[in-house]
Amino acid sequence: MSTSSTPSSPRSPSSPSWSPSSRPSSAADSGPVRVLDVSTAAYRRAFELFLAGTDEKAVTHAHLARLVSRLARRRVFLDVGAGEGATTAHLGRHFERTVALEPSAAMREKLREVCPDAVVVAEPVDGVDLGEEADLVLLSHVLYYLPEDRWLPTLSRVLHWVAPGGTLLVMLQSPDNACMRMVEHFTGTRFDLRPSVGRLEAREPEKVAGWSLETLDARYRTDCFADAVDVAEFMVNVPGLPGLDPLPARADLAAYVDRHFARPDGTYVIGHAHDVLCVRRAATAA
């Protein structure tokens, strides 16, 4: 993830209700939070922990499938930033052809396993010139990785890849969910898709036939405190994290998890609701 704002210094937990003795300390909670590189085993483990405990795929896949069922045509599906390919495969089965953009080599390896029939493109969104238009274009959790001043040009560029009468779907975490409040607390970073909607409509008035914005609730849940801390660390690994000096302390992150996400039943729940922007392109080419 990335943003054009300047991150503030990490802040320590200030709630008087928490004390370091409320959870067992461990060597894993000493020192700063780790900066997780997508190609490492540490990142893969954290990502798998997250996937194992979240209902995100079930919630979003059901919602996206309903949107796909209402499309007038399902010839080409374009997934921009396809990641490991789970969503690409889920939606691609409804289309004649699937094209997937994924600049990360580590993610492309898994993507090709999950979507063997998809055309996989390695270039990033601003470095590729596609020769076709798609009936559905998905831009899911990509804007984090771009400076905010590149959001509107990117949305405009991607909208040009949508066939007349087709649909652009943009997904980003909702700015006021529990996960994003934690990210802002420790890194100063905040993402908000909503201001870009009106700007895109003003920039592309002949192409935008209409739009809607929905918020889908999603939650990560675990009964293991250590796993909850590791997933929280994964969540705060926004692109601005490596530039912080000092990095947030893992002990402070553990305290935050205990204070904000612990439930009376002994579980830990981190809400990470998603905003889903649906942009309908005008039926006539513009």
Side-chain angles (χ1 to χ4, degrees):
M1 304 180 199
S2 181
T3 183
S4 59
S5 62
T6 302
S8 62
S9 298
R11 290 168 281 174
S12 298
S14 57
S15 171
S17 65
W18 181 87
S19 67
S21 61
S22 65
R23 290 291 165 191
S25 61
S26 71
D29 290 336
S30 63
V33 300
R34 296 170 297 172
V35 176
L36 301 175
D37 185 278
V38 68
S39 64
T40 64
Y43 178 94
R44 171 53 59 180
R45 177 185 178 276
F47 187 40
E48 290 177 351
L49 277 177
F50 169 72
L51 291 179
T54 182
D55 60 0
E56 175 186 336
K57 295 299 184 187
V59 171
T60 59
H61 284 185
H63 181 77
L64 294 176
R66 287 192 294 272
L67 293 176
V68 167
S69 70
R70 298 199 292 264
L71 293 176
R73 294 184 300 273
R74 292 190 286 272
R75 298 165 300 186
V76 180
F77 168 47
L78 171 60
D79 194 348
V80 180
E84 85 290 355
T87 300
T88 318
H90 179 74
L91 296 183
R93 62 186 178 180
H94 300 288
F95 292 81
E96 296 174 15
R97 297 182 62 247
T98 297
V99 180
L101 270 64
E102 179 48 60
S104 166
M107 289 293 184
R108 283 199 306 276
E109 182 177 350
K110 183 65 175 178
L111 172 63
R112 287 192 172 99
E113 293 177 6
V114 176
C115 305
D117 296 328
V119 176
V120 178
V121 180
E123 286 78 13
V125 62
D126 59 354
V128 63
D129 184 17
L130 294 179
E132 61 183 332
E133 296 176 320
D135 298 303
L136 177 67
V137 176
L138 177 64
L139 188 74
S140 179
H141 303 292
V142 171
L143 295 179
Y144 309 115
Y145 302 94
L146 301 174
E148 195 169 346
D149 62 2
R150 293 299 305 160
W151 285 18
L152 182 57
T154 298
L155 291 172
S156 179
R157 179 177 179 80
V158 172
L159 182 61
H160 282 247
W161 295 338
V162 180
T167 298
L168 166 64
L169 293 177
V170 185
M171 296 181 62
L172 205 69
Q173 284 210 44
S174 191
D176 297 316
N177 69 30
C179 171
M180 288 291 97
R181 290 196 298 271
M182 175 178 65
V183 168
E184 185 174 13
H185 177 86
F186 284 103
T187 72
T189 299
R190 190 174 191 272
F191 306 101
D192 191 351
L193 175 62
R194 301 169 198 187
S196 297
V197 179
R199 295 168 188 163
L200 178 63
E201 189 173 33
R203 178 167 175 155
E204 302 286 355
E206 296 181 347
K207 287 187 171 59
V208 177
W211 59 269
S212 62
L213 185 68
E214 299 180 75
T215 300
L216 304 181
D217 191 31
R219 299 181 182 187
Y220 169 81
R221 184 186 301 271
T222 182
D223 58 6
C224 176
F225 178 65
D227 286 355
V229 175
D230 283 348
V231 168
E233 182 181 53
F234 170 75
M235 289 174 166
V236 301
N237 260 262
V238 295
L241 180 68
L244 295 179
D245 186 15
L247 288 168
R250 266 189 67 96
D252 289 349
L253 183 64
Y256 189 99
V257 169
D258 190 37
R259 187 170 73 251
H260 291 279
F261 303 140
R263 296 294 179 91
D265 63 359
T267 63
Y268 300 86
V269 178
I270 307 176
H272 55 102
H274 292 66
D275 284 341
V276 182
L277 170 64
C278 178
V279 180
R280 297 178 300 280
R281 181 168 174 179
T284 56

